[in-house]
Amino acid sequence: MEALPAALPATRRVALLGVGTVGRALLDRLADHAEPRLSLQWVANSRRHVHAPQGLSPLACAAALAEGGAHDGGGALPADFGPGDIVIDATASAELAAWHPRWLRQGLHVVSANKLGLGGPLLRQHEIAQLANAQRRYGDAATVGAGLPLLATLRGLRAGGDRIGAIVGVLSGTLAWLFDGYDGREPFSDRVRAAVAQGYAEPDPRVDLSGEDVRRKLLILARAAGYPLESEEVRVDSLLTPRLQAATPDAVDGALQDLDGPIGERAARAARDGRVLRYVARFDAAGARVGLETLVPDDPLAVGRGCDNRVAIWSTRYRDRPLQIQGPGAGAEVTAAALLDDLLRILA
């Protein structure tokens, strides 16, 4: 492996890949923070890029991108980027996730909200873990829990000699919001549309409703806990109906009504029994699974509000009563804050 130079630049070049809701929120934070040791020099989306060796104002990125050069959506960076510089992946791109080990090999630091880096193929996660060190940092706080101290807690427990026995949680802020207070009286499709309109769900809500996003998050947590799970080892109970899953993007909105009957009836039945619905991820001795569950209202996974993530961790020291972590788990602002936190840790 090529050795890094002894002295790294005082000012770090920064590349931002992805200028969607999270990327734009991060640009706003960078504009407010004004960190002189960071120089934003490369910004790209799937169609256009801007390269500004003199530095680019975060507030000018939108206008600059509109006039920028063509971009293929890949992870190639300008030749002047080198060891000690930072690349931020604010996308959900499988192609860019495959670049994460390559960027680390080039001596770059990587800060990611892209779950397919650590939550994709197990081999890629192993590569990232092997390459990341004091000289090549990998910031991943935004991949699960939108910056809640989930990964840091798991790694800290293991470093202290604990064995993690189980992880159970509500890991999707979108699905937490959808089921908070839902008793089947209103069409579930209306709640999904409201989540999209308010930015809690992806523009194509099937990304959230499929359970695949939760699968990736559970994989990231389980792997951080020391369990080398492959994706297919996580059983997922998708909320999608066959018609909704097969719908073209233009037909998704109309197909959402397919959810009203089955989910509404299940929620109404739970309410009659004095219970609530939550979309839960579980990893324990019985395996890993993700799906809709009926819980008593005072269950630790049911007491949060809005888009809160709630996670319970059982370990050697938390054998009888789990360690619990709760907080906002969806939204561009909290995810962007987690990305900025990781950027600043690299500078520390």
Side-chain angles (χ1 to χ4, degrees), residues 171-248:
L171 300 179
S172 167
T174 301
L175 294 170
W177 189 89
L178 287 172
F179 286 105
D180 179 25
Y182 182 63
D183 60 6
R185 296 183 190 181
E186 64 176 300
F188 190 73
S189 56
D190 286 351
R191 292 181 75 90
V192 175
R193 294 184 185 102
V196 173
Q198 296 182 45
Y200 291 131
E202 295 292 332
D204 185 340
R206 292 178 296 183
V207 174
D208 303 295
L209 297 169
S210 69
E212 288 303 315
D213 180 68
V214 180
R215 183 209 296 264
R216 292 167 189 155
K217 292 175 179 177
L218 185 58
L219 276 173
I220 293 171
L221 292 176
R223 290 169 177 177
Y227 298 91
L229 291 186
E230 291 283 8
S231 179
E232 58 269 19
E233 293 180 82
V234 182
R235 188 174 71 251
V236 176
D237 177 17
S238 172
L239 299 180
L240 298 178
T241 63
R243 184 171 79 109
L244 181 55
Q245 185 168 2
T248 64

Side-chain angles (χ1 to χ4, degrees), residues 3 17 43 55 59 64 82 97 101 167 185 207 215 238 248 264 266 335 346:
L17 303 179
V43 178
L59 297 178
I167 303 169
R185 296 183 190 181
V207 174
R215 183 209 296 264
S238 172
T248 64
R266 191 165 177 181
T335 305
I346 289 170

Side-chain angles (χ1 to χ4, degrees), residues 295-314:
L295 306 175
V296 295
D298 60 353
D299 187 289
L301 300 182
V303 297
R305 290 292 176 263
C307 64
D308 277 5
N309 278 190
R310 283 91 70 191
V311 177
I313 301 169
W314 284 264

Side-chain angles (χ1 to χ4, degrees), residues 106-156:
Q106 293 170 359
L108 298 165
H109 303 289
V110 179
V111 173
S112 178
N114 188 342
K115 302 168 189 64
L116 289 171
L118 295 178
L122 183 59
L123 179 60
R124 179 184 302 154
Q125 185 265 342
H126 281 324
E127 286 185 282
I128 291 170
Q130 291 169 358
L131 290 165
N133 54 36
Q135 294 176 306
R136 299 174 176 88
R137 300 281 295 277
Y138 190 85
D140 54 16
T143 60
V144 186
L148 291 175
L150 300 175
L151 292 171
T153 298
L154 289 170
R155 290 165 181 154

Side-chain angles (χ1 to χ4, degrees), residues 89-115:
D89 183 355
T91 76
S93 165
E95 179 180 357
L96 289 182
W99 276 79
H100 291 191
R102 183 170 176 179
W103 288 328
L104 291 169
R105 288 192 197 95
Q106 293 170 359
L108 298 165
H109 303 289
V110 179
V111 173
S112 178
N114 188 342
K115 302 168 189 64

